[in-house]
Amino acid sequence: MKNYLLNIVIAAALVSCGDSLDQTPLSSLAQGNLPATDADAIALVNSVYQVNVGKSTAFGYMTDLVTETTISGENPNGGGGLLGLLKWDATNSYIVGMWSDLYKGITNANDVVDNVLGNSKISASIQQRVVGEAQFLRAYYLNYAVQFWGEVPIVLHNSEGTGVSRQPIDDVYTQIVTDLTEAAAKLPASYGNSDLGRATSGAAWALLSKVYLTWGQVSPTLTDAQRKEKFNLAVEAANNVTGYELEEEFLANWDNNNRNGKESIFATQHNTGSAADGTGGNHLCHCAFSSGFSDALPHVVPANRDIEDSYEEGDQRKDGSFADSLYNDKTGKYYHFALPRFRKYIDASDANGSSNNRNINRTILRYAEVLLVKAEAINERDHQPNSEAYEAINQVRRRAFKSFPVTQPSAHDLPAGLDYAGFTKALRQEREWEFVYEQKHWLDLVRWRILVKTIKNSTVAQDPQYNKQTISFAHYRYPIPQAQREINPEGLWQNWGYDGYDESKTGSNPYADFE
């Protein structure tokens, strides 16, 4: 049996709801307790990955549940239920826990960079690799933070963590780019079976491509020329992602017999029994099928069939993303659901155990997204698509319709001659079809600056029980957790639209011209 990375990390809480920006290193490193061997250095970087293990629920709730695609069967007065109803505030447990855990991850990464780099007791090869992993993960956590909250603290050394202030968005992205660029140079292209799940150079380039694209779209200060430069850098980074291929079968990306397959670039590792042994199961599996073979709503469920019904005939992503029915091995019959279930994180080989086993890897970066990011970045850079952009998006479409090889033209290719607006529309639709329940949709709507109108114009917004019609410009950011502001009210000013915000810091409405 393969010994995956997350089987060797310290046990992680399934949901973490800490309430302070605790910059005390979790490893409590003292001068006499520094890593003294290669094994020590590896154990130290494992703690940086550890933070990511239990965050699947929070990522799902904060990027899928809060959109027009998803509703909740949870207690409407709980943290998750309130997110689904767009009724969150600065005390919401998932928002508080996300902040706390992202900065715990950054804190642990700082431990590695400060105490492994230049440590003569650790071999040069392990120093390089481990520090590269830490820099990748520090960028990974900080990238979520800047997208969730906008201006956020940058803490690169744990001794500097007291009284930190929110930093300009461009400064945050500059640090993310620095870490990812250095990580790409340090990390290997691949690992042996015992280390699958660790960050690779391909993961660094893939995330860097997404970061450049997003930075160019959301920065409040870049000039048009600077935005164009960022889009070009996104294309260059995408071109550096090599050695990956699209899976022929779309659902192979979530098949336990195909873990870390040829399309997977970076994924959280969740193995059989991981929930029981303390390393943390993938709660996306539990949330998608918590009510089992019944019509009671699970924790998250498609809001309706709008996306499912929008797929073109023959697109394998429809059945790969939505389950109208599933085979129940206990009854020997198919069960037909009143509302479809999110299919990707249900293990059809053991549907009755899927919710509890929670053993499917959480997909974070896969090659299809690299292709779509590249296509989008070209269109943004040139304000029109070129043949390279067409080829990138068409490869994703060809796989969707099982037209192989994906490098050859197909009847399912986009029509030639699309202008910027036409290609943008097609690209956004492709992302919606491709990434159902993959924790990307809210992030996409925010960076495209269409969050409010998209949700207000949706079918689910017309149903008052789900409260989605209350979407407002304040929802472009999550609130800084209240407990954090009580500790550091000057440095951690509140985002616009939430209790306690200061117009001298935020302006009257920083999102007024977004849509």
Side-chain angles (χ1 to χ4, degrees):
M1 179 179 291
K2 295 180 180 178
N3 180 21
Y4 291 101
L5 166 66
L6 290 177
N7 279 344
I8 60 175
V9 301
I10 303 168
L14 294 180
V15 178
S16 184
C17 298
D19 61 2
S20 65
L21 174 52
D22 182 1
Q23 289 297 331
T24 302
L26 295 185
S27 55
S28 301
L29 291 178
Q31 191 62 36
N33 193 32
L34 297 177
T37 66
D38 285 2
D40 288 347
I42 292 169
L44 191 59
V45 80
N46 287 347
S47 73
V48 192
Y49 289 94
Q50 171 194 337
V51 176
N52 194 45
V53 175
K55 298 311 296 176
S56 55
T57 297
F59 283 130
Y61 284 4
M62 292 177 67
T63 60
D64 287 321
L65 181 55
V66 296
T67 73
E68 83 287 2
T69 65
T70 308
I71 56 176
S72 174
E74 279 203 2
N75 177 353
N77 296 312
L82 290 170
L83 284 172
L85 294 170
L86 308 187
K87 291 182 177 180
W88 63 76
D89 61 20
T91 65
N92 184 280
S93 61
Y94 285 95
I95 297 172
V96 169
M98 181 65 78
W99 175 285
S100 177
D101 284 346
L102 292 181
Y103 276 98
K104 284 179 183 176
I106 291 168
T107 297
N108 286 7
N110 292 344
D111 264 351
V112 175
V113 176
D114 285 345
N115 295 293
V116 172
L117 190 63
N119 186 327
S120 61
K121 296 180 179 180
I122 300 169
S123 67
S125 60
I126 292 297
Q127 279 191 48
Q128 174 168 291
R129 194 201 85 189
V130 163
V131 171
E133 290 177 81
Q135 287 183 291
F136 170 86
L137 290 165
R138 183 164 67 183
Y140 166 80
Y141 293 129
L142 192 56
N143 186 49
Y144 272 117
V146 71
Q147 292 179 93
F148 285 146
W149 292 287
E151 298 88 346
V152 290
I154 303 170
V155 182
L156 303 181
H157 306 284
N158 295 328
S159 60
E160 302 169 356
T162 303
V164 292
S165 297
R166 300 178 68 178
Q167 299 299 308
I169 287 173
D170 288 329
D171 291 356
V172 179
Y173 277 111
T174 296
Q175 179 56 48
I176 294 169
V177 165
T178 296
D179 269 341
L180 290 175
T181 302
E182 293 182 10
K186 293 182 175 79
L187 291 169
S190 62
Y191 294 89
N193 285 346
S194 63
D195 285 311
L196 292 179
R198 295 188 184 276
T200 62
S201 57
W205 285 119
L207 184 54
L208 186 59
S209 181
K210 288 183 64 176
V211 166
Y212 274 131
L213 173 63
T214 304
W215 185 5
Q217 291 169 322
V218 306
S219 169
T221 59
L222 293 180
T223 65
D224 288 345
Q226 289 170 327
R227 292 183 198 282
K228 185 173 182 177
E229 177 191 20
K230 297 297 183 289
F231 298 141
N232 188 60
L233 289 168
V235 176
E236 291 180 0
N239 284 336
N240 283 328
V241 181
T242 58
Y244 302 92
E245 299 177 50
L246 298 175
E247 296 282 359
E248 288 79 7
E249 294 293 329
F250 182 66
L251 267 178
N253 286 296
W254 299 274
D255 187 341
N256 281 330
N257 294 316
N258 185 49
R259 291 178 177 275
N260 306 292
K262 62 184 179 180
E263 188 171 335
S264 178
I265 299 174
F266 188 63
T268 306
Q269 309 296 298
H270 293 292
N271 302 301
T272 301
S274 60
D277 69 20
T279 58
N282 183 354
H283 267 233
L284 296 172
C285 302
H286 178 71
C287 293
F289 207 51
S290 58
S291 56
F293 288 98
S294 76
D295 278 334
L297 295 184
H299 294 318
V300 292
V301 67
N304 45 50
R305 286 187 165 82
D306 288 358
I307 298 176
E308 183 182 17
D309 290 345
S310 72
Y311 285 96
E312 299 167 81
E313 186 68 28
D315 190 332
Q316 64 168 313
R317 294 173 298 188
K318 178 178 179 178
D319 290 339
S321 300
F322 298 96
D324 285 299
S325 62
L326 283 172
Y327 182 75
N328 184 344
D329 59 5
K330 289 186 176 180
T331 65
K333 299 178 181 179
Y334 278 86
Y335 187 92
H336 299 273
F337 302 102
L339 268 179
R341 301 300 188 247
F342 287 122
R343 174 66 181 84
K344 292 173 181 175
Y345 288 104
I346 300 174
D347 183 358
S349 69
D350 182 17
N352 279 288
S354 182
S355 174
N356 292 325
N357 292 338
R358 305 186 296 239
N359 59 345
I360 301 174
N361 285 354
R362 182 171 82 86
T363 299
I364 299 171
L365 294 167
R366 56 185 178 88
Y367 188 55
E369 187 169 22
V370 174
L371 292 170
L372 293 180
V373 165
K374 178 181 176 179
E376 185 175 355
I378 291 171
N379 193 46
E380 294 294 325
R381 181 193 67 192
D382 301 341
H383 212 66
Q384 63 182 11
N386 61 15
S387 60
E388 194 176 8
Y390 267 100
E391 178 61 19
I393 194 172
N394 283 335
Q395 286 192 22
V396 175
R397 289 183 56 78
R398 292 165 193 158
R399 187 271 297 278
F401 292 95
K402 297 189 176 183
S403 179
F404 304 114
V406 296
T407 54
Q408 296 298 316
S410 162
H412 300 287
D413 291 357
L414 288 181
L418 292 175
D419 60 8
Y420 169 79
F423 195 83
T424 296
K425 181 179 180 180
L427 186 285
R428 292 177 181 180
Q429 178 65 83
E430 212 64 46
R431 285 188 66 90
E432 185 173 67
W433 285 331
E434 184 76 21
F435 299 122
V436 169
Y437 197 46
E438 289 191 51
Q439 301 80 64
K440 302 180 191 298
H441 191 51
W442 181 87
L443 301 173
D444 282 346
L445 296 179
V446 166
R447 68 186 177 88
W448 292 332
R449 297 185 170 182
I450 59 171
L451 174 71
V452 174
K453 67 181 181 182
T454 298
I455 295 179
K456 283 199 172 199
N457 293 335
S458 66
T459 303
V460 72
Q462 312 310 314
D463 190 334
Q465 71 175 312
Y466 299 117
N467 209 51
K468 303 272 189 180
Q469 72 275 12
T470 63
I471 187 75
S472 73
F473 283 100
H475 293 119
Y476 266 94
R477 293 282 181 265
Y478 286 103
I480 303 297
Q482 182 59 30
Q484 298 294 326
R485 298 197 63 248
E486 290 173 359
I487 296 169
N488 182 11
E490 291 300 315
L492 300 179
W493 42 268
Q494 188 55 280
N495 280 329
W496 179 85
Y498 295 101
D499 287 345
Y501 81 89
D502 180 351
E503 279 198 10
S504 69
K505 298 279 191 181
T506 65
S508 59
N509 179 355
Y511 322 112
D513 64 347
F514 274 24
E515 300 187 20

mmCIF file of all heavy atoms in Angstrom, residues 67-92:
data_model
loop_
_atom_site.group_PDB
_atom_site.id
_atom_site.type_symbol
_atom_site.label_atom_id
_atom_site.label_comp_id
_atom_site.label_asym_id
_atom_site.label_seq_id
_atom_site.Cartn_x
_atom_site.Cartn_y
_atom_site.Cartn_z
ATOM 1 N N THR A 67 -22.767 30.802 -2.885
ATOM 2 C CA THR A 67 -23.103 31.215 -4.247
ATOM 3 C C THR A 67 -24.489 30.713 -4.637
ATOM 4 O O THR A 67 -25.186 30.058 -3.855
ATOM 5 C CB THR A 67 -22.078 30.692 -5.263
ATOM 6 O OG1 THR A 67 -22.267 29.279 -5.438
ATOM 7 C CG2 THR A 67 -20.652 30.969 -4.807
ATOM 8 N N GLU A 68 -24.857 30.985 -5.892
ATOM 9 C CA GLU A 68 -26.164 30.590 -6.406
ATOM 10 C C GLU A 68 -26.238 29.101 -6.741
ATOM 11 O O GLU A 68 -27.316 28.588 -7.056
ATOM 12 C CB GLU A 68 -26.505 31.417 -7.650
ATOM 13 C CG GLU A 68 -25.909 30.933 -8.970
ATOM 14 C CD GLU A 68 -24.408 31.170 -9.123
ATOM 15 O OE1 GLU A 68 -23.777 31.687 -8.172
ATOM 16 O OE2 GLU A 68 -23.860 30.830 -10.185
ATOM 17 N N THR A 69 -25.120 28.397 -6.664
ATOM 18 C CA THR A 69 -25.081 26.998 -7.077
ATOM 19 C C THR A 69 -25.516 26.031 -5.996
ATOM 20 O O THR A 69 -25.837 24.873 -6.293
ATOM 21 C CB THR A 69 -23.663 26.602 -7.504
ATOM 22 O OG1 THR A 69 -22.800 26.672 -6.356
ATOM 23 C CG2 THR A 69 -23.149 27.521 -8.597
ATOM 24 N N THR A 70 -25.528 26.468 -4.728
ATOM 25 C CA THR A 70 -25.560 25.535 -3.613
ATOM 26 C C THR A 70 -26.472 26.032 -2.494
ATOM 27 O O THR A 70 -26.503 27.234 -2.206
ATOM 28 C CB THR A 70 -24.135 25.340 -3.053
ATOM 29 O OG1 THR A 70 -23.248 25.009 -4.134
ATOM 30 C CG2 THR A 70 -24.086 24.224 -2.019
ATOM 31 N N ILE A 71 -27.192 25.095 -1.876
ATOM 32 C CA ILE A 71 -27.963 25.393 -0.677
ATOM 33 C C ILE A 71 -27.582 24.394 0.408
ATOM 34 O O ILE A 71 -26.900 23.406 0.141
ATOM 35 C CB ILE A 71 -29.481 25.356 -0.933
ATOM 36 C CG1 ILE A 71 -29.896 24.002 -1.525
ATOM 37 C CG2 ILE A 71 -29.904 26.512 -1.832
ATOM 38 C CD1 ILE A 71 -31.396 23.843 -1.716
ATOM 39 N N SER A 72 -28.043 24.647 1.623
ATOM 40 C CA SER A 72 -27.620 23.837 2.757
ATOM 41 C C SER A 72 -28.795 23.169 3.442
ATOM 42 O O SER A 72 -29.878 23.761 3.570
ATOM 43 C CB SER A 72 -26.890 24.717 3.782
ATOM 44 O OG SER A 72 -26.583 23.975 4.945
ATOM 45 N N GLY A 73 -28.575 21.935 3.886
ATOM 46 C CA GLY A 73 -29.542 21.244 4.721
ATOM 47 C C GLY A 73 -29.175 21.314 6.188
ATOM 48 O O GLY A 73 -29.772 20.636 7.015
ATOM 49 N N GLU A 74 -28.178 22.141 6.529
ATOM 50 C CA GLU A 74 -27.730 22.263 7.906
ATOM 51 C C GLU A 74 -28.685 23.107 8.742
ATOM 52 O O GLU A 74 -29.557 23.813 8.223
ATOM 53 C CB GLU A 74 -26.328 22.900 7.951
ATOM 54 C CG GLU A 74 -25.210 21.937 7.681
ATOM 55 C CD GLU A 74 -23.895 22.428 8.274
ATOM 56 O OE1 GLU A 74 -23.878 23.493 8.910
ATOM 57 O OE2 GLU A 74 -22.888 21.736 8.084
ATOM 58 N N ASN A 75 -28.450 23.085 10.044
ATOM 59 C CA ASN A 75 -29.149 23.972 10.971
ATOM 60 C C ASN A 75 -28.970 25.409 10.486
ATOM 61 O O ASN A 75 -27.845 25.897 10.383
ATOM 62 C CB ASN A 75 -28.553 23.804 12.371
ATOM 63 C CG ASN A 75 -29.166 24.745 13.399
ATOM 64 O OD1 ASN A 75 -29.962 25.623 13.071
ATOM 65 N ND2 ASN A 75 -28.789 24.549 14.641
ATOM 66 N N PRO A 76 -30.058 26.123 10.198
ATOM 67 C CA PRO A 76 -29.920 27.484 9.661
ATOM 68 C C PRO A 76 -29.303 28.464 10.635
ATOM 69 O O PRO A 76 -28.881 29.558 10.231
ATOM 70 C CB PRO A 76 -31.362 27.873 9.317
ATOM 71 C CG PRO A 76 -32.214 27.006 10.179
ATOM 72 C CD PRO A 76 -31.475 25.717 10.305
ATOM 73 N N ASN A 77 -29.234 28.086 11.915
ATOM 74 C CA ASN A 77 -28.644 28.980 12.908
ATOM 75 C C ASN A 77 -27.193 28.649 13.219
ATOM 76 O O ASN A 77 -26.567 29.322 14.048
ATOM 77 C CB ASN A 77 -29.468 28.927 14.204
ATOM 78 C CG ASN A 77 -30.879 29.434 13.992
ATOM 79 O OD1 ASN A 77 -31.083 30.488 13.405
ATOM 80 N ND2 ASN A 77 -31.864 28.668 14.457
ATOM 81 N N GLY A 78 -26.656 27.624 12.574
ATOM 82 C CA GLY A 78 -25.252 27.278 12.772
ATOM 83 C C GLY A 78 -24.356 28.040 11.817
ATOM 84 O O GLY A 78 -24.829 28.724 10.901
ATOM 85 N N GLY A 79 -23.049 27.925 12.002
ATOM 86 C CA GLY A 79 -22.110 28.667 11.168
ATOM 87 C C GLY A 79 -22.264 28.374 9.699
ATOM 88 O O GLY A 79 -22.272 29.281 8.863
ATOM 89 N N GLY A 80 -22.400 27.086 9.333
ATOM 90 C CA GLY A 80 -22.573 26.730 7.933
ATOM 91 C C GLY A 80 -23.909 27.176 7.386
ATOM 92 O O GLY A 80 -24.001 27.710 6.278
ATOM 93 N N GLY A 81 -24.980 26.958 8.159
ATOM 94 C CA GLY A 81 -26.300 27.384 7.721
ATOM 95 C C GLY A 81 -26.374 28.877 7.478
ATOM 96 O O GLY A 81 -26.982 29.340 6.492
ATOM 97 N N LEU A 82 -25.741 29.662 8.333
ATOM 98 C CA LEU A 82 -25.752 31.112 8.179
ATOM 99 C C LEU A 82 -24.968 31.552 6.943
ATOM 100 O O LEU A 82 -25.345 32.516 6.272
ATOM 101 C CB LEU A 82 -25.191 31.778 9.437
ATOM 102 C CG LEU A 82 -26.098 31.671 10.675
ATOM 103 C CD1 LEU A 82 -25.355 32.132 11.919
ATOM 104 C CD2 LEU A 82 -27.376 32.482 10.489
ATOM 105 N N LEU A 83 -23.894 30.846 6.625
ATOM 106 C CA LEU A 83 -23.182 31.154 5.387
ATOM 107 C C LEU A 83 -24.086 30.908 4.182
ATOM 108 O O LEU A 83 -24.147 31.714 3.256
ATOM 109 C CB LEU A 83 -21.908 30.316 5.274
ATOM 110 C CG LEU A 83 -20.717 30.739 6.134
ATOM 111 C CD1 LEU A 83 -19.618 29.692 6.059
ATOM 112 C CD2 LEU A 83 -20.175 32.093 5.707
ATOM 113 N N GLY A 84 -24.791 29.776 4.193
ATOM 114 C CA GLY A 84 -25.679 29.459 3.082
ATOM 115 C C GLY A 84 -26.789 30.464 2.903
ATOM 116 O O GLY A 84 -27.263 30.690 1.784
ATOM 117 N N LEU A 85 -27.198 31.097 4.006
ATOM 118 C CA LEU A 85 -28.255 32.106 3.962
ATOM 119 C C LEU A 85 -27.705 33.523 3.786
ATOM 120 O O LEU A 85 -28.464 34.495 3.866
ATOM 121 C CB LEU A 85 -29.087 32.026 5.245
ATOM 122 C CG LEU A 85 -29.891 30.736 5.442
ATOM 123 C CD1 LEU A 85 -30.474 30.689 6.851
ATOM 124 C CD2 LEU A 85 -30.999 30.623 4.406
ATOM 125 N N LEU A 86 -26.400 33.628 3.545
ATOM 126 C CA LEU A 86 -25.737 34.930 3.382
ATOM 127 C C LEU A 86 -25.965 35.826 4.596
ATOM 128 O O LEU A 86 -26.101 37.047 4.477
ATOM 129 C CB LEU A 86 -26.220 35.633 2.103
ATOM 130 C CG LEU A 86 -26.147 34.832 0.794
ATOM 131 C CD1 LEU A 86 -26.502 35.725 -0.393
ATOM 132 C CD2 LEU A 86 -24.789 34.191 0.591
ATOM 133 N N LYS A 87 -25.968 35.229 5.777
ATOM 134 C CA LYS A 87 -26.188 35.967 7.021
ATOM 135 C C LYS A 87 -24.956 35.945 7.928
ATOM 136 O O LYS A 87 -25.068 35.988 9.135
ATOM 137 C CB LYS A 87 -27.383 35.368 7.776
ATOM 138 C CG LYS A 87 -28.730 35.590 7.122
ATOM 139 C CD LYS A 87 -29.841 35.001 7.981
ATOM 140 C CE LYS A 87 -31.216 35.267 7.390
ATOM 141 N NZ LYS A 87 -32.302 34.693 8.236
ATOM 142 N N TRP A 88 -23.792 35.883 7.325
ATOM 143 C CA TRP A 88 -22.601 35.790 8.160
ATOM 144 C C TRP A 88 -22.231 37.147 8.758
ATOM 145 O O TRP A 88 -22.602 38.200 8.253
ATOM 146 C CB TRP A 88 -21.435 35.213 7.370
ATOM 147 C CG TRP A 88 -20.962 36.027 6.197
ATOM 148 C CD1 TRP A 88 -20.218 37.167 6.232
ATOM 149 C CD2 TRP A 88 -21.164 35.731 4.811
ATOM 150 N NE1 TRP A 88 -19.925 37.610 4.966
ATOM 151 C CE2 TRP A 88 -20.499 36.745 4.063
ATOM 152 C CE3 TRP A 88 -21.816 34.718 4.114
ATOM 153 C CZ2 TRP A 88 -20.485 36.771 2.668
ATOM 154 C CZ3 TRP A 88 -21.796 34.749 2.736
ATOM 155 C CH2 TRP A 88 -21.145 35.757 2.021
ATOM 156 N N ASP A 89 -21.463 37.096 9.840
ATOM 157 C CA ASP A 89 -20.895 38.296 10.439
ATOM 158 C C ASP A 89 -19.495 37.949 10.931
ATOM 159 O O ASP A 89 -18.961 36.879 10.626
ATOM 160 C CB ASP A 89 -21.783 38.844 11.563
ATOM 161 C CG ASP A 89 -21.966 37.866 12.724
ATOM 162 O OD1 ASP A 89 -21.139 36.922 12.866
ATOM 163 O OD2 ASP A 89 -22.923 38.041 13.493
ATOM 164 N N ALA A 90 -18.897 38.850 11.689
ATOM 165 C CA ALA A 90 -17.493 38.706 12.077
ATOM 166 C C ALA A 90 -17.266 37.677 13.171
ATOM 167 O O ALA A 90 -16.125 37.478 13.600
ATOM 168 C CB ALA A 90 -16.947 40.064 12.521
ATOM 169 N N THR A 91 -18.337 37.012 13.626
ATOM 170 C CA THR A 91 -18.179 35.956 14.626
ATOM 171 C C THR A 91 -18.480 34.578 14.043
ATOM 172 O O THR A 91 -18.439 33.592 14.782
ATOM 173 C CB THR A 91 -19.104 36.205 15.837
ATOM 174 O OG1 THR A 91 -20.467 36.099 15.420
ATOM 175 C CG2 THR A 91 -18.853 37.575 16.444
ATOM 176 N N ASN A 92 -18.778 34.476 12.763
ATOM 177 C CA ASN A 92 -19.106 33.184 12.165
ATOM 178 C C ASN A 92 -17.958 32.194 12.376
ATOM 179 O O ASN A 92 -16.796 32.497 12.103
ATOM 180 C CB ASN A 92 -19.384 33.364 10.676
ATOM 181 C CG ASN A 92 -19.818 32.074 10.007
ATOM 182 O OD1 ASN A 92 -18.986 31.227 9.677
ATOM 183 N ND2 ASN A 92 -21.120 31.919 9.796
#
